[in-house]
Amino acid sequence: MFGRRKSKRLFVLSLDGVPFSFLQAGIAAGRFPNIAELGTPVRIDSVLPPISSVAWASFSTGMNPAGHGIFGFVDRDPRTMELKLPSARDLLAPTVWLRLNEAGKRAIVMNVPVTYPPQDIDGIMISGFLCTDLSRGVRPAGLLPRLRRLGYRIDPDPNLGMTDRARYLEEIFETLASRRRAVFELMREEWDFFMVHVMMTDRINHFFWADGEEAAGGYHSEFWEFYSEVDRFVGDVAGRVTDDTDLLLLSDHGFCRLRWEVDLNAYLVEGGFLRFKKSGDGLSRIDPASHAYSLIPGRIYVNLRGREGIGSVDDADYSRVREDLAAFLAELVDAAGNRVISRVYRREEVYHGSAFDRAPDLIALPFDGYDLKAKFAPAGVFAEGQGRSGMHTHPDAFALLRGKELLTGGSILDIPPTVFSLLGVPVPEAFDGESIRAEGAKR
Ligand SMILES: [Zn+2]
């Protein structure tokens, strides 16, 4: 009889919103010595729209948004026209962790967005983004006192980004420190798949991107000090993940400097596609005679009769209205005459699956610098960023596999199949992507 082969293990460290280009330039400048030691990152695409909750729901299920049902940070119920914040309860597809459990793999999942409420898995789950109360975000619940002793924090207080930047930075550092302590303790548990998510990179990028870019004044040194801490965290994790275990780093979207916030609903009003009533809030403010409205970022819905609660566009007119909208969006320019929208996707180009009917009809992707908003009150199209100087980008996320090569040209949807392949688990048919693992180790 042959000896039992040691089963494969994988550690995933996800850094929310860390761009490939930023990482590559930082490695070249010697800012990320520990990350550079692991290998060379490859660029991957995000999802549409490139929002953390959509990207991580896609990672968590291996499926595109119409497969798992989450299309944005906010979503609408087309019948009641009410807005809501989708949670893990709204996922229509089984999670990667449950599938790994089925294959006999024990999983520890820390802080991944859209994992609240937490699932009972074989392993440990600590909820991420959208969970505001740690006591309700931990499975098994018996782990809670240990996390409390470690001073575990899910997220910095998001309101501080607007009100107290100095304190916000402190909380960003404190939250990373608490994540370190908890990871190093939980790594000693039994696991085959371990994933820890760092949301603070997205937070600091939103509020301090300009500080990082501009050497003079502001919080320039603090921004780079934080990224040195992140690099040190990666190095310390790598030192604890033994060589027989794969180590994967990734992000979910890129980031760039925010120049203008662009309210697409105000633009739709200008074009005569949207009209607001004098009262009401959210979608209830929309005049039923409107032909379209937008939700952040860049999601456009035709006000289709029979689908939208206040629908007034007939089926027969849908295609014409949608093409008029696409052309109108492409024409949007700023005061200097620069185009704002780089591409408009029809939903059938990017989505497929059981939630397709709830997908936006068009998805507009902006050029760098134009953060697409969707307000439900009459206002100007262009406004300066409210305390924020960074915004998400679609084509500039990254992946890096320690000591091994990854193929370029993939997207975050290709990471779950890569994970299963690395763990030696058959890739589920339902997954939309393909493994980007290159054959053979580099070193
Ligand atoms: Zn993100």
Side-chain angles (χ1 to χ4, degrees), residues 16-17 52 202 252-253:
D16 204 293
S52 303
D202 175 276
D252 57 331
H253 50 79

Side-chain angles (χ1 to χ4, degrees), residues 19 54 156 169 227 246 271 279 292 362 416 431:
V54 183
L169 265 178
Y227 270 101
D246 280 311
S279 61
L362 295 171
F431 281 7

Side-chain angles (χ1 to χ4, degrees), residues 15-17 50-53 55-56 113 197 199 202 252-253 255 392:
L15 299 172
D16 204 293
I51 288 294
S52 303
S53 47
W56 293 113
H197 185 68
M199 195 70 195
D202 175 276
D252 57 331
H253 50 79
F255 249 93
H392 295 191

Side-chain angles (χ1 to χ4, degrees), residues 165-418:
R165 281 159 63 78
R167 179 65 202 138
Y168 192 50
L169 265 178
E170 281 170 23
E171 288 207 358
I172 286 172
F173 277 89
E174 286 165 15
T175 306
L176 180 61
S178 83
R179 189 78 28 98
R180 281 177 71 92
R181 292 191 293 271
V183 167
F184 295 158
E185 176 149 334
L186 294 183
M187 278 174 86
R188 295 199 292 261
E189 304 278 323
E190 200 190 312
W191 53 271
D192 303 289
F193 173 84
F194 195 123
M195 177 162 180
V196 59
H197 185 68
V198 172
M199 195 70 195
M200 292 72 80
T201 40
D202 175 276
R203 299 296 182 239
I204 202 166
N205 288 355
H206 269 297
F207 287 94
F208 298 92
W209 189 262
D211 300 77
E213 279 189 349
E214 289 164 16
Y219 292 96
H220 182 75
S221 60
E222 287 86 351
F223 179 91
W224 288 107
E225 203 181 301
F226 175 74
Y227 270 101
S228 291
E229 282 295 307
V230 170
D231 181 67
R232 194 164 68 86
F233 179 48
V234 171
D236 291 346
V237 165
R240 286 165 164 84
V241 175
T242 48
D243 281 344
D244 56 358
T245 300
D246 280 311
L247 173 59
L248 176 69
L249 265 53
L250 83 149
S251 68
D252 57 331
H253 50 79
F255 249 93
C256 70
R257 183 75 171 265
L258 188 163
R259 303 286 172 188
W260 293 104
E261 290 189 346
V262 182
D263 180 3
L264 283 190
N265 278 336
Y267 183 59
L268 292 177
V269 168
E270 278 185 8
F273 290 96
L274 173 61
R275 232 165 46 199
F276 287 122
K277 296 187 291 190
K278 291 221 159 41
S279 61
D281 55 3
L283 297 177
S284 71
R285 186 96 190 246
I286 297 171
D287 186 320
S290 300
H291 282 177
Y293 63 91
S294 177
L295 294 179
I296 52 167
R299 287 177 288 162
I300 313 289
Y301 298 85
V302 172
N303 192 25
L304 188 63
R305 195 190 301 279
R307 183 185 71 185
E308 308 294 310
I310 54 162
S312 60
V313 174
D314 289 325
D315 268 338
D317 297 324
Y318 173 81
S319 293
R320 181 185 52 78
V321 169
R322 194 170 71 149
E323 291 315 303
D324 287 351
L325 280 163
F328 181 64
L329 288 165
E331 285 165 13
L332 176 55
V333 291
D334 68 10
N338 297 309
R339 284 176 55 208
V340 170
I341 304 297
S342 71
R343 185 154 176 201
V344 181
Y345 294 88
R346 279 76 180 158
R347 61 179 185 167
E348 60 275 17
E349 291 177 72
V350 288
Y351 299 134
H352 60 93
S354 59
F356 183 77
D357 286 348
R358 285 201 289 109
D361 296 297
L362 295 171
I363 307 95
L365 206 58
F367 285 105
D368 285 0
Y370 301 96
D371 201 13
L372 300 183
K373 299 292 178 189
K375 294 174 187 164
F376 291 98
V381 177
F382 292 91
E384 299 207 1
Q386 300 291 310
R388 285 180 288 265
S389 62
M391 59 169 276
H392 295 191
T393 63
H394 175 261
D396 199 26
F398 83 92
L400 193 168
L401 182 60
R402 175 168 71 178
K404 292 178 185 170
E405 201 182 335
L406 292 174
L407 304 173
T408 54
S411 85
I412 194 164
L413 281 169
D414 297 320
I415 304 299
T418 309

Side-chain angles (χ1 to χ4, degrees), residues 49-249:
I51 288 294
S52 303
S53 47
V54 183
W56 293 113
S58 301
F59 176 93
S60 301
T61 59
M63 295 170 82
N64 81 95
H68 58 66
I70 294 184
F71 293 95
F73 169 62
V74 290
D75 213 338
R76 97 289 189 218
D77 180 333
R79 300 309 308 167
T80 62
M81 299 303 281
E82 272 166 8
L83 294 175
K84 62 165 190 170
L85 303 184
S87 73
R89 241 183 239 115
D90 298 292
L91 288 175
L92 300 175
T95 58
V96 159
W97 358 108
L98 282 181
R99 290 184 189 273
L100 290 176
N101 281 173
E102 274 169 26
K105 301 285 185 186
R106 195 165 192 276
I108 298 183
V109 181
M110 295 177 72
N111 247 97
V112 178
V114 203
T115 55
Y116 179 77
Q119 283 182 314
D120 280 310
I121 60 171
D122 175 19
I124 292 170
M125 175 164 282
I126 304 171
S127 296
F129 176 55
L130 280 185
C131 175
T132 50
D133 179 0
L134 185 62
S135 68
R136 291 189 293 163
V138 180
R139 292 283 185 282
L143 184 65
L144 188 63
R146 266 169 82 192
L147 291 173
R148 289 240 194 268
R149 263 199 307 282
L150 294 165
Y152 192 85
R153 300 183 66 125
I154 294 172
D155 238 343
D157 175 358
N159 299 316
L160 287 173
M162 303 291 221
T163 58
D164 187 345
R165 281 159 63 78
R167 179 65 202 138
Y168 192 50
L169 265 178
E170 281 170 23
E171 288 207 358
I172 286 172
F173 277 89
E174 286 165 15
T175 306
L176 180 61
S178 83
R179 189 78 28 98
R180 281 177 71 92
R181 292 191 293 271
V183 167
F184 295 158
E185 176 149 334
L186 294 183
M187 278 174 86
R188 295 199 292 261
E189 304 278 323
E190 200 190 312
W191 53 271
D192 303 289
F193 173 84
F194 195 123
M195 177 162 180
V196 59
H197 185 68
V198 172
M199 195 70 195
M200 292 72 80
T201 40
D202 175 276
R203 299 296 182 239
I204 202 166
N205 288 355
H206 269 297
F207 287 94
F208 298 92
W209 189 262
D211 300 77
E213 279 189 349
E214 289 164 16
Y219 292 96
H220 182 75
S221 60
E222 287 86 351
F223 179 91
W224 288 107
E225 203 181 301
F226 175 74
Y227 270 101
S228 291
E229 282 295 307
V230 170
D231 181 67
R232 194 164 68 86
F233 179 48
V234 171
D236 291 346
V237 165
R240 286 165 164 84
V241 175
T242 48
D243 281 344
D244 56 358
T245 300
D246 280 311
L247 173 59
L248 176 69
L249 265 53

